[in-house]
Amino acid sequence: MGSDYNPLCYDRIGSISKDTMQSKVISILTAPGAPRYEGGEFADTLGRPLRDLRISVTDRCNFRCVYCMPRDVFGPDHAFLPHDELLSFEEIARVAAVFAGLGVKKIRLTGGEPLVRRDLHRLVGLLAQLPGIDLTLTTNGSLLAKHAKALKDAGLQRITVSLDSLDDKTFRAMNDAQYPVARVLDAIDVAAAAGLAPVKINMVVKRGVNDHQVVDMARHWRRTGHIVRFIEYMDVGSTNGWQMSEVVPAAEVVRRIGEHYPLETIDPAYPGEVAERWRYQDGAGEIGVISSVTQAFCRDCNRARLSTEGRLFTCLFAEGGHDLKTPLRGGASDAALRDQIVAIWRARGDRYSEIRTAETAKLRKVEMSYIGG
Ligand code: SAM
Ligand code: SF4
Ligand code: SF4
């Protein structure tokens, strides 16, 4: 155990779960008479600032990716959140403004599939008014061609499109919705033409399923200006049947691509950047690898996540979140919301990926489609 041992990092201490423990600390920090947030820098228990906010705008999706929303769990009988449980666009924009006032510099809209939420460009328009915020969105691309221009016009700066294979059969099997790859490729072109280039393209690599496509994917996007990011398959949620043997380490991805197109590392674009960046030595562009399983990056993790129904999560692998909707709808002032968020962040000790074991992988964690990737 290292000198930075923090009991809040552990999922269970005796019979008390980590989240219960964190809630106790937060209730002390927000109790009447507790010190209020007076402005200035603040950090969590491991010294990490709050800089990045991911907002899930829906828990619904028109795909059933095998690693995210397996169809046997998310079938016709699955109960998604009722509409009135979702934060409205105005509520999301208000919370986002509070986060921006606390030092958040980057906001990513996600889901579920964010573009299944009607009139999403309206939310983009509200968030684009926040000064100094880098505003992006992650989508499966199925509805992107239709909405790209409206999103750009509303102020969206960049976009990430998930694309797990260029081979139509493999792609359809992975999205499990019979969605053809050609339509996602067309949508990427439309988004780029609308001014959302360079597009980031996310490929989750699952051994024995699509890892044979890694080099083809790199080859396809070389010299286009777009950036492919190869993501290690993660044990998010508790429904995808994750096994370590299905993870292709990022180092293997880099080695396989490098055998065809020599690569060299590049410095991160900003502190806490999740993807490790590599560029082709022949000047054909760059790729990223996200090694959340084999080389955890919790040390620099400055991300918070706001769920569709207004719960704040301090880790992708959390078992539970903190309710912001009740105070939001109960008339809390911005200052009260600020105090609550700062208290939650100050009590944060998450570093799940650094302490992952075969046992933690089996814990009941929140689903990716609910919390947002
Ligand atoms: N529906 C949108 C999409 O697919 O881009 C946004 C939400 S999705 C949850 C966000 C990202 O998480 C996607 O790039 C997806 O591939 C990734 N993802 C989902 N489940 C994952 C898993 N088990 N391991 C690694 N990445 C995963
Ligand atoms: Fe839907 Fe995205 Fe999850 Fe696939 S990864 S099921 S597109 S939310
Ligand atoms: Fe951040 Fe949690 Fe992922 Fe670590 S495991 S990088 S703390 S979200």
Side-chain angles (χ1 to χ4, degrees):
M1 194 174 296
S3 56
D4 61 350
Y5 166 67
N6 182 316
L8 294 180
C9 299
Y10 285 83
D11 292 289
R12 264 178 202 289
I13 305 150
S15 60
I16 307 177
S17 81
K18 183 193 84 172
D19 291 334
T20 311
M21 187 78 173
Q22 227 169 25
S23 303
K24 283 183 192 299
V25 174
I26 291 157
S27 59
I28 293 165
L29 291 170
T30 52
R36 301 273 84 99
Y37 173 64
E38 303 278 355
E41 286 291 330
F42 64 97
D44 70 8
T45 62
L46 299 176
R48 300 168 295 190
L50 170 58
R51 292 284 179 265
D52 189 324
L53 178 65
R54 303 198 171 189
I55 302 175
S56 174
V57 296
T58 178
D59 58 337
R60 292 165 196 256
C61 185
N62 52 349
F63 282 12
R64 286 291 177 274
C65 300
V66 289
Y67 50 75
C68 179
M69 295 180 81
R71 196 172 276 285
D72 54 344
V73 179
F74 294 89
D77 297 335
H78 182 78
F80 290 100
L81 292 167
H83 195 76
D84 57 355
E85 292 295 328
L86 273 50
L87 293 191
S88 68
F89 289 163
E90 286 69 24
E91 287 170 331
I92 294 174
R94 183 170 165 220
V95 178
V98 171
F99 273 93
L102 290 171
V104 160
K105 301 281 179 232
K106 198 171 158 192
I107 293 180
R108 178 177 295 276
L109 297 178
T110 176
E113 172 47 41
L115 295 181
V116 302
R117 180 129 179 210
R118 194 175 302 162
D119 296 333
L120 191 73
H121 62 276
R122 221 170 51 71
L123 175 62
V124 169
L126 296 174
L127 297 176
Q129 290 168 28
L130 297 172
I133 293 286
D134 179 22
L135 183 59
T136 66
L137 176 146
T138 304
T139 172
N140 64 24
S142 59
L143 300 168
L144 179 58
K146 189 172 163 199
H147 296 295
K149 186 171 180 311
L151 292 168
K152 175 68 187 173
D153 290 349
L156 190 70
Q157 290 157 7
R158 291 180 299 107
I159 199 151
T160 299
V161 179
S162 301
L163 177 64
D164 295 323
S165 179
L166 294 166
D167 170 57
D168 195 55
K169 197 162 161 246
T170 311
F171 185 64
R172 286 175 190 251
M174 286 188 83
N175 66 53
D176 199 13
Q178 285 305 317
Y179 199 83
V181 73
R183 289 183 55 191
V184 179
L185 294 173
D186 284 348
I188 292 172
D189 288 345
V190 172
L196 292 165
V199 176
K200 284 190 180 154
I201 294 152
N202 277 359
M203 173 181 181
V204 175
V205 186
K206 204 173 164 193
R207 194 180 297 283
V209 177
N210 66 339
D211 63 316
H212 62 289
Q213 280 274 303
V214 161
V215 176
D216 286 348
M217 189 70 107
R219 182 181 300 117
H220 183 92
W221 298 105
R222 274 165 51 84
R223 301 197 189 284
T224 61
H226 304 320
I227 302 168
V228 194
R229 301 172 339 148
F230 299 90
I231 305 177
E232 288 181 352
Y233 171 41
M234 292 185 284
D235 52 327
V236 274
S238 47
T239 58
N240 65 7
W242 181 88
Q243 291 182 32
M244 188 64 203
S245 58
E246 294 170 324
V247 177
V248 180
E252 182 180 328
V253 167
V254 169
R255 180 179 52 71
R256 284 206 219 168
I257 297 171
E259 283 168 2
H260 296 261
Y261 307 108
L263 291 161
E264 60 196 13
T265 49
I266 345 179
D267 289 338
Y270 51 87
E273 187 175 20
V274 170
E276 188 185 296
R277 298 169 67 204
W278 293 79
R279 76 174 151 228
Y280 296 110
Q281 287 181 16
D282 63 5
E286 68 172 88
I287 61 163
V289 288
I290 302 183
S291 58
S292 22
V293 178
T294 62
Q295 284 168 276
F297 36 74
C298 302
R299 188 174 303 249
D300 295 321
C301 180
N302 53 24
R303 284 179 299 286
R305 291 176 160 85
L306 183 67
S307 78
T308 315
E309 53 174 344
R311 297 187 76 80
L312 178 61
F313 289 79
T314 54
C315 179
L316 181 54
F317 297 90
E319 290 168 72
H322 308 275
D323 178 22
L324 295 186
K325 185 172 66 184
T326 303
L328 193 63
R329 292 193 176 167
S333 65
D334 283 1
L337 288 173
R338 246 193 320 270
D339 285 345
Q340 190 182 355
I341 294 166
V342 172
I344 291 167
W345 193 260
R346 283 188 165 142
R348 175 186 191 239
D350 304 279
R351 53 187 190 106
Y352 176 89
S353 288
E354 289 181 352
I355 57 165
R356 173 185 286 106
T357 62
E359 289 311 305
T360 60
K362 288 186 210 139
L363 287 170
R364 202 167 165 74
K365 294 163 259 130
V366 65
E367 292 299 322
M368 183 85 138
S369 53
Y370 167 83
I371 195 180

